Amino acid sequence: MTERRGLFLNFEGMDGCGKTTQARMAAERLRKEGYEVLESVEPGGTPIGQQVRRILLDPANEELAPRAELLLYFACRAQNVEQWVKPALDRGAVVVTDRFTDSTMAYQGYGRGLGREIVITLDRIACQGVAPDLTIIVDIDLETSLARARARNRTVADNHETRMDEQAAEFYRRVRAGYQEMVQLEPHRFAVVDGRGDIDTVARGVWQAIQGKLPRHD
Ligand code: TMP
């Protein structure tokens, strides 16, 4: 990773926390400040990743085994790193992603109970050392997350992406506790922003977290 000059920002949090809106707003602001920005999302991102996303989130795939699920998330990511993220960082761009390996740690490592080691090992293989410089967690409590995710599923007609949202509340309790432990273990890598305020207040908190990390640009 000798070439790398850009900045890699990852937005994380529980379902319904508002991170997608915040990632978009941050990308917009960075562009206004003159940075080249690559926006990405996981699962998905690349065209191949979007095909894998359909398998991962299709509620018909109830029998998807936890280890198969884990590998599919990493398959998406390996493609994303190779095709989009690494080239963008190498040419000095800011990459803004809506979820990355921190999601896999929280949802599969902690939520599914697969553990930290397997996630760390697969990250090494799939990402080849490409890792966020900063992960912003938009933090909301469990009850708000479950309520927002369910409301979203009701309002989006024909929603084919509900498989993860249909997990039990206990699963989401482990995911949230996972995020909290991850921050405790590596506090320097994370900024936790309170996601309960209005969109602009949250955006101000996000921008404060990002500012100190920005590379100089001419
Ligand atoms: P989204 O709601 O942010 O589009 O994410 C889709 C779902 O996929 C969400 O419930 C979180 C889940 N997910 C994982 O379980 N592991 C992962 O590695 C990623 C990227 C997402």
Side-chain angles (χ1 to χ4, degrees), residues 195-215:
R196 290 169 305 178
D198 62 78
I199 288 177
D200 291 326
T201 308
V202 179
R204 269 196 296 279
V206 167
W207 189 250
Q208 259 175 14
I210 293 175
Q211 258 176 332
K213 298 273 178 183
L214 287 173

Side-chain angles (χ1 to χ4, degrees), residues 15 19 42-43 53 73 77 99 103-104 107-108 164:
D15 298 70
K19 67 180 166 42
E42 291 199 2
R53 179 182 174 99
Y73 279 115
R77 191 160 304 134
R99 297 195 184 280
S103 279
T104 317
Y107 283 75
Q108 281 66 51
M164 294 302 291

